[in-house]
Amino acid sequence: MTAAALPHVVDAATWQRHLDDLRAREKAATRELDAIAAQRRRMPMVEMPEYTLEGEKGPVTLADVFEGKSQLIVYNHMWFPGETWQCSGCTGFTSQFTRLEFLDAYDARFVIVTQGPIEDALAYKERTGNKMTWYSTANSAFGSDVGAPPGGGFAVNVFLRDGDTVYRTWHTNGRGTEQLTHTFALLDILPYGRQEEWQDVPEGWPQSPTYSRWPSSETIAATYGPS
């Protein structure tokens, strides 16, 4: 690292002025996110047909997945048949969620649903040290119906239950999932950011090919798995 890759050094008063300018934009972004969340709360919903998924203890209906809660967040985990290591992005994303009990106070639950057979999914969960609850939609159209078909990408879907009737209220994929992770929030406040080549950075800042700094599934398993 060279001097060219360092921020300018200024006096405290100048630094504070720059921070105040940035803070104004940060506050505006916070207010915009509040407005987006308010619009999300006013979204209509669509009734879902009945689905049967596979859980650790056998077949369950989609309504059963709520386990008595009224709200459900589902992460649709990518799955590639026959592969030892699944998507590193999905593996890394879901490895962050180890303490979800706080959702109980909000009458909500957060689970993983994958296209992989339940036996394979649970084996992968064990291998990688994942702490979330997994379900399989391998024998159901559920994944395809919510934007995560076999061979397709990942997705986040949110559902609301009224008795035995389930409604879909929200969906996102791609970078829309970033709001659910602390990874990028922490990286984005660092002086050098995510250090990915697509980002707008000052000249001389360290940059690497996109995804190259992300941990592999093997690394995640070595860090959190049983071995």
Side-chain angles (χ1 to χ4, degrees):
M1 188 167 296
T2 67
L6 297 174
H8 296 298
V9 177
V10 296
D11 61 81
T14 301
W15 180 86
Q16 188 62 53
R17 286 198 299 273
H18 282 272
L19 180 62
D20 291 344
D21 288 344
L22 179 61
R23 184 59 39 78
R25 296 189 66 183
E26 291 173 338
K27 291 295 186 182
T30 298
R31 289 190 290 271
E32 177 61 14
L33 288 173
D34 287 343
I36 291 170
Q39 182 176 348
R40 187 183 296 117
R41 289 190 293 271
R42 289 166 172 78
M43 277 281 292
M45 59 186 184
V46 60
E47 183 175 346
M48 303 295 288
E50 293 186 4
Y51 297 98
T52 299
L53 282 66
E54 296 290 330
E56 186 171 356
K57 298 180 180 179
V60 293
T61 66
L62 180 57
D64 291 335
V65 175
F66 284 74
E67 290 198 345
K69 305 292 193 298
S70 67
Q71 301 176 102
L72 177 69
I73 303 168
V74 170
Y75 183 78
N76 296 97
H77 195 295
M78 294 177 69
W79 190 267
F80 301 98
E83 295 293 330
T84 300
W85 301 108
Q86 298 299 327
C87 168
S88 59
C90 291
T91 303
F93 176 83
T94 57
S95 70
Q96 301 172 52
F97 301 104
T98 59
R99 297 180 179 180
L100 293 168
E101 293 80 8
F102 73 93
L103 288 172
D104 292 344
Y106 296 88
D107 196 26
R109 193 174 187 226
F110 185 14
V111 303
I112 294 175
V113 173
T114 185
Q115 292 284 355
I118 189 61
E119 296 83 4
D120 295 347
L122 293 177
Y124 189 71
K125 171 186 175 180
E126 174 69 17
R127 189 181 313 128
T128 58
N130 192 283
K131 302 300 182 183
M132 296 181 70
T133 302
W134 287 57
Y135 295 90
S136 169
T137 185
N139 300 313
S140 163
F142 175 73
S144 297
D145 290 349
V146 297
F154 59 92
V156 176
N157 284 279
V158 180
F159 303 92
L160 184 66
R161 182 181 64 84
D162 183 17
D164 291 329
T165 304
V166 176
Y167 301 90
R168 187 184 187 198
T169 65
W170 188 70
H171 164 270
T172 195
N173 54 21
R175 292 191 64 193
T177 60
E178 288 187 6
Q179 63 182 293
L180 306 181
T181 170
H182 63 258
T183 301
F184 298 121
L186 291 175
L187 294 176
D188 285 344
I189 64 172
L190 295 174
Y192 298 119
R194 305 184 195 185
Q195 301 181 43
E196 295 190 350
E197 57 190 4
W198 61 271
Q199 289 198 288
D200 180 0
V201 298
E203 185 175 355
W205 250 231
Q207 287 185 289
S208 305
T210 304
Y211 313 127
S212 62
R213 294 177 183 267
W214 292 23
S216 66
S217 298
E218 297 96 319
T219 300
I220 293 166
T223 303
Y224 302 113
S227 60

